[in-house]
Amino acid sequence: MIRFTVVTITFNAEAVVRRTLDSVFAQTYRGVEHLIIDGASKDTTLQMAGDYKRRNDEQDNGHKVIIQSEPDHGIYDAMNKGLTQASGDYIVFMNAGDSFPEANTLEQIVHRCHLAEQPTAELPGVLYGNTNIVDSEGRLLHPRRLQPPQQLTWRSFRQGMLVCHQAFYARIDIAKCLQYDTRYRFSADVDWCIRVMRETERMGLPLYNIGIVVANYLEEGATTKNHKASLRERYLVMQHHYGAIQTFLLHCWFVVRSFILR
């Protein structure tokens, strides 16, 4: 059975984390490892996580829940801790406030991507899907503006982060070798996804479009709250991967496009 490692990063997240925990708990797919990496929360986040683990352990649902809580050096440092501990075939980051749209989302991914029928060595390097944006109450606001292309490559992100981090499933043997660059405060996820896709291409593995919404993304994430700093950092990430001239020309087009679409 293909196993998914879901990593949830938390820090004083009592207001939104329950929706995430309930969403993972509700997954009908049995091969789930849920790592909760907490940054030494001072509110009731850990109590909620502990209650969730006890509830999960009482169920015969095939899920394994692991909780770790200690100070960290930011969200990407915490994500690296999750990468190090992950033992599934694929890893996805579903942070506090984010959720799966349906109880059978993981079941659908396995079925649509024909994962059960493939030898482990031939599994796609990346699985990716669509994302909906939700508010702090979990209510649907709208589909994410940037939509994933039918054929994704590492060069696709020249047009922006076309796949949301929470809708990006990386094969664990690739992901473990490519930790998040903690020099970036807001855009290490963009850099990491590009590097995972480049390695996937180097290995001659496919990137598979799941073709459905696989994540509900909380609108007010860390990147949204630090929008300008995030944009500056993303420019540096793109410059590193795609070159200074191409990145500059692309951003000129982004500006023109924003005026055309008004």
Side-chain angles (χ1 to χ4, degrees):
M1 171 182 276
I2 297 298
R3 296 180 67 244
F4 294 97
T5 295
V6 180
V7 180
T8 299
I9 308 301
T10 61
F11 180 68
N12 293 342
E14 63 183 7
V16 294
V17 72
R18 185 178 301 279
R19 181 166 63 252
T20 307
L21 302 180
D22 288 345
S23 173
V24 180
F25 181 81
Q27 287 302 297
T28 54
Y29 190 72
R30 294 182 62 83
V32 177
E33 174 185 63
H34 191 188
L35 304 180
I36 301 168
I37 310 297
D38 181 75
S41 291
K42 301 297 191 293
D43 62 3
T44 63
T45 298
L46 276 176
Q47 178 183 331
M48 296 167 71
D51 291 343
Y52 159 68
K53 176 173 169 52
R54 284 187 289 275
R55 179 165 54 119
N56 182 84
D57 291 349
E58 292 171 357
Q59 300 292 317
D60 182 23
N61 62 0
H63 295 191
K64 180 181 180 181
V65 176
I66 299 172
I67 303 170
Q68 174 184 315
S69 182
E70 62 184 19
D72 56 48
H73 299 291
I75 189 170
Y76 297 119
D77 178 45
M79 288 181 177
N80 282 336
K81 293 178 181 180
L83 270 176
T84 300
Q85 295 184 50
S87 65
D89 296 290
Y90 285 96
I91 187 168
V92 64
F93 290 86
M94 191 69 65
N95 291 333
D98 304 323
S99 59
F100 294 104
E102 304 288 346
N104 67 343
T105 296
L106 293 177
E107 292 271 9
Q108 290 188 68
I109 291 172
V110 171
H111 175 71
R112 284 175 167 268
C113 301
H114 310 288
L115 299 182
E117 306 159 19
Q118 301 181 54
T120 302
E122 298 176 13
L123 289 171
V126 173
L127 313 172
Y128 64 97
N130 296 62
T131 304
N132 282 334
I133 307 300
V134 299
D135 65 14
S136 59
E137 300 299 321
R139 293 182 293 250
L140 174 66
L141 296 175
H142 53 80
R144 188 170 183 262
R145 182 179 65 81
L146 293 178
Q147 295 290 308
Q150 186 57 42
Q151 299 296 326
L152 181 72
T153 76
W154 70 269
R155 298 170 186 84
S156 300
F157 275 29
R158 290 178 298 185
Q159 304 300 323
M161 194 175 187
L162 299 183
V163 180
C164 182
H165 192 214
Q166 284 77 352
F168 187 95
Y169 291 69
R171 217 172 83 167
I172 200 67
D173 57 338
I174 298 173
K176 276 183 173 288
C177 297
L178 300 168
Q179 293 212 328
Y180 290 84
D181 188 339
T182 55
R183 292 175 297 179
Y184 297 118
R185 292 184 59 206
F186 308 112
S187 300
D189 54 343
V190 183
D191 170 71
W192 181 77
C193 287
I194 294 172
R195 287 188 288 123
V196 167
M197 290 187 289
R198 292 188 77 158
E199 181 61 14
T200 293
E201 183 177 295
R202 188 194 69 78
M203 294 173 66
L205 297 170
L207 294 88
Y208 195 96
N209 188 337
I210 303 164
I212 59 171
V213 174
V214 295
N216 288 336
Y217 176 69
L218 179 62
E219 183 181 40
E220 292 298 326
T223 302
T224 306
K225 294 176 182 177
N226 299 278
H227 186 61
K228 289 185 178 179
S230 173
L231 289 177
R232 286 194 294 268
E233 219 175 61
R234 287 192 183 200
Y235 187 93
L236 295 176
V237 169
M238 291 181 66
Q239 193 175 58
H240 171 74
H241 288 286
Y242 305 124
I245 294 175
Q246 187 168 131
T247 299
F248 175 75
L249 293 175
L250 281 167
H251 277 74
C252 288
W253 163 240
F254 294 161
V255 172
V256 172
R257 183 178 64 184
S258 68
F259 280 104
I260 293 174
L261 295 176
R262 282 184 177 177

